[in-house]
Amino acid sequence: MSAVDQTWDDGLIARRASDRAVYEDPGAGGGAPPGPGGYPPVGGGYPGPLRERLAALRELLGLSATRLDPDDLAEAGRVLDEAAARRRLSARHTVVAIAGATGSGKSTLINALAGVPISESGLRRPTTAAPIACAWSEGAAGLLDRLAIPGRLRRRPLAGGAGDEALQGLVLVDLPDHDSALTAHRDQVDRILGLVDAVIWVVDPEKYADAALHERYLRPLAGHAEVTFVVLNQVDRLPGDAAHQVLDDLRRLLDEDGVALGEHGEPGATVLALSALTGEGVTELREMLGAFVQARTAAERRLSADVDAAAARLQPVYVGEGRPGLGERSQEDFGARLAVAVGATAAGEAAEREWRRNASRACGTPWLRLWRWYERLRTPAAARGGEPGEAEPPEEEPTARQRVEQAVRVVAEEAAHGLPAPWAQAVREAAVRGARDLPEALDELAARERESRGGGRPPRPAWWPVAVLVQASMTLLQIFGALWLVGQITGLVEPGLTRPVLVMLGGIVGGPLVEWACAAAARGPARRYGNDTERRLREAAASCGRARVLDPIAAELMRYREVREQYATVSGRRPTGG
């Protein structure tokens, strides 16, 4: 197998059954072998729809590993890795990050929720230099290890009260400021936001419309609205109805960002106003967090939103325009172009001429055949340019090769039309690989056809022996009449010119008439013989082109249809176009 074949034939379909068996093992152990593309099997601990989408995403990446740029698949691969990692950890805990800008009051809010100083708050900026975690119950060590939060930065809330019961399973993480001047702080925020189950964005009346917050975080994460809380803090600083006005403007900005708001029982982001310093609204937030945590669906919602985002990023490389494919008309046109390149029409015409020439030789008058023989002897071969009726010389190889290449380019473009760029390129490359030796193969077909015609005479119709016998009789009449006249001249027979002359004239006139009648009768069989020769060569050329070019193209199109079905499952939509 060539290097190109090794690159493109990843053997995925042959491994499909064994890979699926590994995937369907719902165990949470970390020793499961990787699946296609090196991605771990995931989904065993998730509900049906999410499990199916993760399975389809894993299958999709495996099918696409040799067709797409690894950079295009990197984010989807990360989602699979994180899904597998999250599944192995505690399903009883919900990890919620508290994020915000400098001075928004994040640390004050987490201290208010915990009832004990968890995170340092004050005027020094930035106050939070490293993520600090607060877990309301045991068993969250694995989750915190995944977040790379050291033991010295892990806290427990103040025990006691009904509120603590409602928050059992909650893990709050106080993040550094997302607008910190230190790059390391922003990197910490970005890393942890990609790992937590939900996030509480804390904004204040001064920075709630900050472009950095909306353009870098809220807008890109609009699809994660169901696991997003947006808290307007420090409302105690706003007089009168100003808090409601700021809150309404915040909702407007979120709507412009594409963040769905959870109003009137609809799923979406939770938006509320509070004051962590005075405690106003903190109880309401605690109750919302309690219901959110006890539902135990945050990890699934977060992962489902991640899959949605990955599907949206992959759409340009999986969804094209229209319905790509190779119709019967395109296949027929390709076969017709190959027939022209191989000279099928010329071969059929040559076969027809050969049939008629053989008929002329068999049924023609001997005197005409002698004359033609004499003409061939007298005329040099170079001046003759070949025997009359011979097949046209085959086209030079460059011309035939160019026609074949053009036919391959046309059919590849027709098959790739409507496909996304990577898959269109895959179709073109499959066609080019298959057509590498196609001109030589077509030349061999044409050569075998010429040899088959030169190695034996065309089949003769049933009337041919009778025509030969009649022509021989005409020749005998001419000879008999001539001998009769000679006998009269020499006195061997009694004189009388009328009868021998009539006999000779009958032979002389009858010979060409028989030859003309045979030529007329040979037209139909000769045409059928030529058409049959052309048809055989056309079919052989089409079969060769189908095996070398059309079948590889069809295999690529089938693979694309398969990945489109998998992508439809990942995105939650049925395919409607390319």
Side-chain angles (χ1 to χ4, degrees):
M1 182 181 295
S2 67
V4 174
D5 293 333
Q6 290 175 351
T7 301
W8 283 76
D9 184 10
D10 56 15
L12 176 67
I13 298 177
R15 301 196 303 269
R16 187 71 47 74
S18 60
D19 290 339
R20 187 172 289 112
V22 172
Y23 168 77
E24 290 175 351
D25 180 9
Y39 301 107
V42 295
Y46 298 113
L50 181 55
R51 177 189 175 99
E52 292 177 3
R53 295 181 70 192
L54 290 171
L57 181 59
R58 175 174 171 265
E59 192 81 358
L60 182 66
L61 299 192
L63 286 167
S64 309
T66 57
R67 301 298 188 270
L68 303 182
D69 190 322
D71 292 339
D72 294 332
L73 305 177
E75 179 60 22
R78 187 197 68 80
V79 171
L80 285 177
D81 292 339
E82 296 303 332
R86 185 64 179 89
R87 185 197 63 178
R88 290 191 295 266
L89 301 174
S90 174
R92 298 180 295 104
H93 289 80
T94 300
V95 183
V96 180
I98 297 184
T102 303
S104 60
K106 297 183 286 80
S107 300
T108 304
L109 179 59
I110 193 174
N111 292 340
L113 292 172
V116 67
I118 298 295
S119 182
E120 180 182 356
S121 61
L123 297 177
R124 182 174 59 88
R125 299 288 180 260
T127 304
T128 305
I132 300 174
C134 178
W136 265 256
S137 58
E138 300 290 345
L143 291 170
L144 297 177
D145 290 341
R146 179 169 172 249
L147 300 178
I149 298 179
R152 60 183 177 83
L153 297 179
R154 302 178 185 182
R155 307 285 190 268
R156 293 297 303 274
L158 184 65
D164 286 347
E165 290 295 329
L167 296 180
Q168 290 296 308
L170 173 64
V171 179
L172 276 180
V173 180
D174 186 15
L175 299 181
D177 302 331
H178 70 76
D179 60 349
S180 173
L182 299 178
T183 303
H185 290 184
R186 298 196 300 271
D187 293 342
Q188 286 271 42
V189 172
D190 295 343
R191 179 182 64 84
I192 294 181
L193 285 179
L195 301 176
V196 297
D197 301 325
V199 59
I200 300 175
W201 288 101
V202 181
V203 298
D204 60 71
E206 295 178 355
K207 296 183 179 181
Y208 73 92
D210 183 27
L213 170 65
H214 290 269
E215 294 177 4
R216 185 176 180 184
Y217 294 105
L218 293 178
R219 196 169 299 163
L221 294 175
H224 295 69
E226 292 189 40
V227 291
T228 300
F229 293 78
V230 181
V231 173
L232 176 61
N233 193 18
Q234 302 177 9
V235 293
D236 56 297
R237 296 166 48 193
L238 298 174
D241 294 335
H244 296 290
Q245 295 175 4
V246 172
L247 190 62
D248 289 342
D249 194 45
L250 174 59
R251 291 176 181 273
R252 179 188 61 80
L253 292 173
L254 293 174
D255 185 66
E256 292 178 356
D257 292 334
V259 178
L261 304 181
E263 298 175 323
H264 312 295
E266 297 177 355
T270 299
V271 182
L272 70 158
L274 57 77
S275 172
L277 185 62
T278 64
E280 179 185 353
V282 174
T283 301
E284 182 182 359
L285 175 61
R286 179 189 290 268
E287 292 174 354
M288 290 181 178
L289 278 177
F292 184 76
V293 170
Q294 297 310 314
R296 301 187 190 281
T297 59
E300 299 161 12
R301 294 182 187 179
R302 166 60 194 259
L303 185 54
S304 181
D306 286 344
V307 174
D308 288 340
R313 292 188 185 97
L314 292 174
Q315 182 174 357
V317 297
Y318 287 116
V319 180
E321 299 178 357
R323 294 183 178 274
L326 199 59
E328 293 184 3
R329 179 65 179 273
S330 297
Q331 298 180 46
E332 292 173 358
D333 290 346
F334 178 64
R337 293 187 182 96
L338 293 185
V340 172
V342 81
T345 302
E349 293 173 351
E352 181 179 350
R353 289 193 298 268
E354 182 181 10
W355 205 101
R356 298 167 99 177
R357 184 172 62 248
N358 288 337
S360 176
R361 287 173 179 173
C363 302
T365 62
W367 323 117
L368 183 59
R369 290 201 297 273
L370 285 173
W371 175 256
R372 289 173 178 168
W373 173 76
Y374 172 73
E375 287 290 329
R376 286 197 300 272
L377 289 179
R378 194 179 64 173
T379 306
R384 289 198 310 266
E387 187 176 353
E390 278 191 357
E392 295 292 334
E395 293 178 316
E396 296 183 1
E397 182 179 355
T399 301
R401 179 178 294 275
Q402 289 172 0
R403 288 180 174 176
V404 171
E405 292 175 351
Q406 175 66 14
V408 172
R409 282 196 299 270
V410 170
V411 76
E413 289 301 325
E414 290 177 351
H417 179 70
L419 288 174
W423 299 97
Q425 182 64 22
V427 167
R428 296 188 190 100
E429 293 183 3
V432 170
R433 287 197 308 274
R436 283 173 182 167
D437 300 327
L438 184 56
E440 290 76 9
L442 295 177
D443 288 343
E444 292 178 4
L445 288 177
R448 284 199 298 268
E449 179 60 31
R450 288 193 296 270
E451 291 175 2
S452 67
R453 294 202 313 271
R457 293 185 176 183
R460 297 179 175 182
W463 53 263
W464 202 320
V466 177
V468 173
L469 180 61
V470 172
Q471 187 65 268
S473 300
M474 295 299 103
T475 303
L476 290 176
L477 285 176
Q478 296 176 47
I479 296 172
F480 178 73
L483 292 175
W484 195 350
L485 286 175
V486 171
Q488 289 182 352
I489 294 172
T490 58
L492 294 178
V493 295
E494 57 185 64
L497 295 176
T498 303
R499 283 183 294 178
V501 169
L502 290 176
V503 171
M504 283 187 64
L505 287 175
I508 293 173
V509 174
L513 287 177
V514 171
E515 183 176 2
W516 176 83
C518 290
R523 289 193 186 99
R527 188 178 299 109
R528 287 193 294 272
Y529 179 71
N531 291 340
D532 185 61
T533 300
E534 180 180 353
R535 177 186 55 80
R536 290 198 309 270
L537 195 52
R538 282 180 177 273
E539 291 178 351
S543 177
C544 184
R546 181 169 54 253
R548 293 173 177 266
V549 177
L550 296 185
D551 287 350
I553 287 178
E556 286 298 327
L557 293 175
M558 182 181 299
R559 190 183 189 101
Y560 174 69
R561 283 192 291 270
E562 186 173 356
V563 300
R564 281 289 286 117
E565 292 175 359
Q566 297 295 340
Y567 177 78
T569 302
V570 173
S571 62
R573 297 185 298 269
R574 297 306 305 164
T576 56

